[in-house]
Amino acid sequence: MAGNYFGVLVSDPWLQNQFTQVELRGLKSHFLTMRRETGSLTLGDLPSRMSKLKNVGENLTEDERAAFLHDSYQNLGDEVDFELFLRVYLNLQAHATSRMGKGAKNSSAFLKSPTSTLLHTISESEKASYVGHINNYLGEDSFLKKFLPIDPSTNDLFEIAKDGVLICKLINVAVPGTIDERAINTKTVLNPWERNENHTLCLNSAKAIGCTVVNIGTQDFIEGRRHLVLGVISQIIKIQLLADLDLKKTPQLVELVGDNQDVEELMSLPPEKILLRWMNFHLKKTEYKKTVTNFSSDVKDAEAYAYLLNVLAPEHNNPSTLVVRDALKRATLVLEHADRMGCKRYLTAKDILEGSPNLNLAFVAHIFQHRNGLSTPEKPVSFLEISPDEAQVSREESAFRFWINSLGVATYINNVFEDVRNGWVLLEALDKVSPGIVNWKIANKPPIKMPFKKVENCNQVVKIGKQLKFSLVNIAGNDIVQGNKKLILAYLWQLMRFNMLQLLKYLRSYSLGKEFTDSDILDWANTKVKSTGSQSCMKSFKDKSLSDGIFFLELLSAVQPRVVNWRLVTKGQTDEEKQMNATYIISIARKIGCSIFLLPEDIIEVNQKMMLTLTASIMYWFFKQPIEDQRSCGSSDSDIGNQLETSSTSTTYDTESEASTD
């Protein structure tokens, strides 16, 4: 128990992501105190014993806590272990927040990608819409077609989602190639372990494409918790529907702007804002005098839709649509117009009148996909032609963006280079990675109009970076304010690396209290692979031999022997074989519980930074497993301790010195 107390406090990867180590230790101490007082602890004991917990004790009475637990759990006599205690605490915390009225602004998981825990009810209209989407896009899937189509009037969606396959497949529809389907467990009947692997794979993959799943765990899917399952599905569908709202995919969007400065501004906007700009661009051609600023109140009367569809498809227009006075009738005519265009509805006339933001967004996004009404540029747009270096910058921006969002920061990031310029989100990320390090008394909260206030925030960001021993030579706060891409990426890489090394350091029963270095991670990986009898070796994190993927497959097999199906592994000799191995590596790493944000190209091209984060993530996952599981993979406590003690005194590889400059 001592090892677990100071090292692995909880084994569930999702729960580990909900708390800092300091918070976990505090909650562990509180839990042990409660259990000592009673000898054992049941769900029924918790309402009276959680009064001293932050938020839960302050904002809910004992009766309110008891009523919530009575409604949420079938048997209050069940004994509570630490992980169940944490889940109850999170659920009560969300319940307290929603009762205080803070949940309203976060009610639109589809639009804002927030944590979905606050949604304890679901919209039947949204469920029906998402079921229709799933039936349409996955109806012919070889595995799922025996379950589809789903009847939207039932709860079959949540039953089918319990094995994890449907959501994994939906992620691949939204962002093709995200999950190597060879890694999905698709037997007719899955055992609990296999089902948990599928959900772990789907949650880590959802994070990797930009979903926020901070308060959602594998158990929520297994139990079929409807509001949480629907929250994840809605975010995945949103990503799919908004995928084309990008200048690289749809260069016709250049018609929405004038000079290059406007183009840069457009490229930095989130997809929802681009969609609104597109809608207003067409509405300006009509007699409609208003500006649409949201997908709720501004479209409730369906008038904007009537004018928009008349511009995009006048041949399908019903003249009555623009003159009818009854809003419900107008909304009905709008949807009939959309049907004649071949657009999927995603909503009903009633949903339009009620201003459902999620469904209105889906409706407009699908209209854009089907007929955007923009002109194709006569010649290639120069600013869309990117060099290999720029492509690498774009991939790193995506990786860091998804990583920051996965931390659960309050500000959702749409574009790293634009959204960090006021310094606030970087301060939020620093506070997540190193709680208490930010001096919030001198921080300036957005919206920030005065430029010097942004500089003040960014100066604190740089100061904290130096405090954390980042390499920040000749970097000032104003460089971040000005959006210097190279320096921003350098800072974020060091922050991500620091976070990973800190996570490893918290496993003190293995690190012996020593600071981890890049060379420790490298030596650990080589030792693990060597222990299997393999002769493979990683000389550094930029070793070109890594491009075939074999070393990482052997490493994954060393830490979890059952996870790699070697019949699916190629020799990695051709580009196609390397691609297959790389996608397989990423999927099975996520499947066992690694939270990683790299792409197959990062492995094939041997991106030094991403090789380090991949290796460190596997190492962190391995050290979190119970001692018995580690021994089954050929390591004893003394082996691990000796290995790390030896590696911590070895020569530091070039990766560490180059970490902040590459």
Side-chain angles (χ1 to χ4, degrees):
M1 283 295 293
N4 281 342
Y5 183 76
F6 291 103
V8 185
L9 292 171
V10 292
S11 60
D12 188 326
W14 171 74
L15 281 173
Q16 293 161 1
N17 289 334
Q18 311 312 306
F19 304 95
T20 66
Q21 288 288 322
V22 173
E23 290 170 333
L24 274 178
R25 290 193 179 98
L27 288 167
K28 182 77 170 184
S29 176
H30 194 94
F31 169 75
L32 292 174
T33 299
M34 289 193 298
R35 198 166 64 178
R36 277 197 301 269
E37 290 174 351
T38 58
S40 65
L41 193 65
T42 67
L43 284 167
D45 296 328
L46 293 181
S48 62
R49 298 187 173 278
M50 298 181 83
S51 58
K52 295 182 180 179
L53 289 176
K54 185 179 179 182
N55 293 335
V56 169
E58 297 169 357
N59 300 320
L60 293 175
T61 66
E62 181 178 333
D63 288 343
E64 288 171 337
R65 293 193 294 270
F68 180 80
L69 287 177
H70 183 270
D71 292 340
S72 302
Y73 298 92
Q74 292 182 342
N75 188 359
L76 296 181
D78 286 349
E79 191 162 344
V80 178
D81 61 12
F82 183 48
E83 293 196 2
L84 178 56
F85 169 76
L86 292 177
R87 290 182 181 279
V88 172
Y89 173 69
L90 286 171
N91 289 333
L92 283 169
Q93 197 173 46
H95 181 56
T97 303
S98 63
R99 285 180 61 85
M100 292 167 64
K102 296 179 181 178
K105 67 180 181 180
N106 284 337
S107 61
S108 174
F110 197 67
L111 281 170
K112 299 182 181 178
S113 301
T115 57
S116 304
T117 307
L118 303 183
L119 300 171
H120 290 290
T121 60
I122 66 170
S123 162
E124 290 298 324
S125 292
E126 288 191 23
K127 183 184 76 172
S129 178
Y130 304 151
V131 164
H133 183 97
I134 290 167
N135 287 339
N136 182 62
Y137 285 95
L138 292 172
E140 297 303 314
D141 181 85
S142 58
F143 178 80
L144 292 173
K145 63 183 179 182
K146 58 191 171 189
F147 304 110
L148 303 181
I150 301 169
D151 183 349
S153 66
T154 69
N155 286 322
D156 289 353
L157 169 64
F158 308 109
E159 289 301 315
I160 295 171
K162 283 184 177 181
D163 67 5
V165 177
L166 184 144
I167 298 181
C168 285
K169 299 266 189 178
L170 191 61
I171 287 171
N172 269 357
V173 170
V175 184
T178 299
I179 296 176
D180 188 327
E181 296 200 0
R182 297 174 296 174
I184 305 173
N185 299 318
T186 55
K187 295 190 309 186
T188 304
V189 179
L190 300 179
N191 62 42
W193 180 269
E194 292 165 332
R195 195 165 45 189
N196 188 74
E197 284 184 332
N198 279 351
H199 291 311
T200 302
L201 172 60
C202 111
L203 286 173
N204 282 321
S205 300
K207 283 195 291 186
I209 65 170
C211 297
T212 300
V213 293
V214 176
N215 284 329
I216 304 172
T218 58
Q219 194 64 27
D220 295 314
F221 286 96
I222 294 167
E223 294 174 359
R225 300 187 69 183
R226 299 185 302 160
H227 61 291
L228 298 178
V229 174
L230 208 63
V232 173
I233 289 173
S234 70
Q235 293 186 67
I236 296 168
I237 293 176
K238 170 196 170 183
I239 288 168
Q240 177 188 344
L241 292 175
L242 297 179
D244 289 343
L245 284 148
D246 180 284
L247 275 163
K248 295 169 188 172
K249 293 184 178 179
T250 311
Q252 297 96 313
L253 285 167
V254 73
E255 191 179 350
L256 303 184
V257 297
D259 55 34
N260 285 340
Q261 185 174 3
D262 290 332
V263 168
E264 290 183 7
E265 178 194 349
L266 185 69
M267 293 181 73
S268 69
L269 290 176
E272 300 95 317
K273 296 292 186 184
I274 297 177
L275 193 61
L276 286 169
R277 181 174 289 198
W278 167 79
M279 192 173 178
N280 287 310
F281 171 80
H282 285 303
L283 288 175
K284 286 179 181 178
K285 303 172 185 176
T286 73
E287 297 177 4
Y288 190 74
K289 302 303 181 185
K290 301 175 185 176
T291 299
V292 178
T293 62
N294 59 62
F295 293 105
S296 183
S297 59
D298 285 0
V299 294
K300 287 173 70 172
D301 60 7
E303 192 175 350
Y305 286 154
Y307 281 101
L308 175 66
L309 296 185
N310 196 35
V311 170
L312 296 175
E315 72 276 17
H316 296 303
N317 183 43
N318 182 338
S320 301
T321 309
L322 294 175
V323 296
V324 68
R325 293 188 177 183
D326 181 70
L328 181 61
K329 178 63 175 174
R330 186 186 305 117
T332 301
L333 292 172
V334 161
L335 294 178
E336 290 174 357
H337 190 163
D339 284 342
R340 291 191 292 273
M341 289 171 60
C343 293
K344 297 179 184 65
R345 289 195 173 196
Y346 283 99
L347 77 177
T348 64
K350 183 182 177 184
D351 294 326
I352 294 177
L353 265 61
E354 291 179 350
S356 171
N358 292 356
L359 299 184
N360 278 299
L361 173 64
F363 179 57
V364 179
H366 186 70
I367 292 171
F368 175 87
Q369 284 186 341
H370 191 75
R371 187 178 296 196
N372 62 43
L374 301 173
S375 303
T376 302
E378 295 180 359
K379 53 184 179 180
V381 186
S382 59
F383 62 82
L384 295 178
E385 298 172 359
I386 60 174
S387 66
D389 287 344
E390 290 172 323
Q392 177 63 39
V393 166
S394 178
R395 290 211 306 268
E396 291 190 10
E397 185 275 337
S398 296
F400 293 137
R401 169 162 37 98
F402 296 149
W403 171 69
I404 292 173
N405 286 333
S406 77
L407 296 175
V409 295
T411 306
Y412 189 81
I413 299 295
N414 289 292
N415 181 295
V416 164
F417 301 128
E418 291 299 318
D419 293 349
V420 305
R421 289 174 62 176
N422 63 17
W424 181 261
V425 74
L426 288 175
L427 292 173
E428 287 184 310
L430 284 162
D431 193 55
K432 288 288 183 181
V433 169
S434 184
I437 202 166
V438 176
N439 184 351
W440 292 109
K441 293 181 179 179
I442 62 172
N444 304 294
K445 187 175 183 177
I448 305 173
K449 295 182 179 179
M450 304 299 291
F452 75 91
K453 294 288 186 181
K454 298 179 183 179
V455 174
E456 286 178 353
N457 280 353
C458 293
N459 282 341
Q460 185 177 181
V461 167
V462 173
K463 180 180 178 181
I464 293 173
K466 291 178 179 178
Q467 185 179 334
L468 298 177
K469 299 181 181 179
F470 293 177
S471 176
L472 298 173
V473 180
N474 297 324
I475 295 181
N478 195 50
D479 292 315
I480 299 174
V481 176
Q482 296 301 318
N484 186 310
K485 292 183 179 181
K486 183 177 180 180
L487 297 182
I488 289 171
L489 289 178
Y491 190 98
L492 288 175
W493 158 239
Q494 293 181 84
L495 181 59
M496 179 189 268
R497 176 177 170 274
F498 172 81
N499 182 48
M500 182 56 67
L501 294 179
Q502 283 294 102
L503 289 173
L504 288 167
K505 179 184 175 183
Y506 282 132
L507 302 174
R508 290 186 180 277
S509 60
Y510 306 116
S511 70
L512 307 178
K514 299 180 184 298
E515 295 285 346
F516 272 93
T517 65
D518 296 4
S519 60
D520 291 335
I521 299 169
L522 187 77
D523 288 347
W524 172 83
N526 282 326
T527 301
K528 288 304 299 178
V529 170
K530 187 177 180 181
S531 70
T532 66
S534 171
Q535 298 303 309
S536 296
C537 179
M538 174 168 52
K539 296 175 184 175
S540 73
F541 293 112
K542 55 183 179 180
D543 183 345
K544 292 301 180 184
S545 70
L546 298 174
S547 67
D548 63 12
I550 301 299
F551 179 85
F552 286 110
L553 288 164
E554 290 181 335
L555 177 59
L556 286 162
S557 185
V559 300
Q560 177 56 275
R562 64 182 293 275
V563 77
V564 178
N565 183 345
W566 286 100
R567 291 176 296 178
L568 303 177
V569 176
T570 74
K571 293 181 180 180
Q573 295 176 343
T574 66
D575 290 343
E576 183 180 0
E577 288 182 342
K578 289 179 179 180
Q579 178 80 21
M580 291 177 69
N581 283 353
T583 56
Y584 191 49
I585 288 166
I586 292 171
S587 290
I588 60 177
R590 288 174 179 155
K591 181 178 179 177
I592 65 173
C594 298
S595 182
I596 52 178
F597 300 92
L598 74 165
L599 295 172
E601 292 80 1
D602 293 314
I603 296 176
I604 296 167
E605 297 171 12
V606 192
N607 180 325
Q608 177 183 348
K609 299 173 184 176
M610 295 304 158
M611 295 300 93
L612 171 59
T613 59
L614 173 60
T615 312
S617 296
I618 297 170
M619 182 181 185
Y620 179 60
W621 176 85
F622 175 74
F623 281 170
K624 288 189 301 182
Q625 306 314 300
I627 297 297
E628 293 76 13
D629 291 351
Q630 292 180 15
R631 284 173 179 155
S632 70
C633 296
S635 297
S636 66
D637 291 342
S638 58
D639 291 335
I640 297 168
N642 292 336
Q643 175 188 332
L644 289 174
E645 189 166 14
T646 301
S647 64
S648 65
T649 59
S650 63
T651 302
T652 301
Y653 285 80
D654 55 358
T655 52
E656 189 170 6
S657 59
E658 294 178 15
S660 60
T661 58
D662 279 9

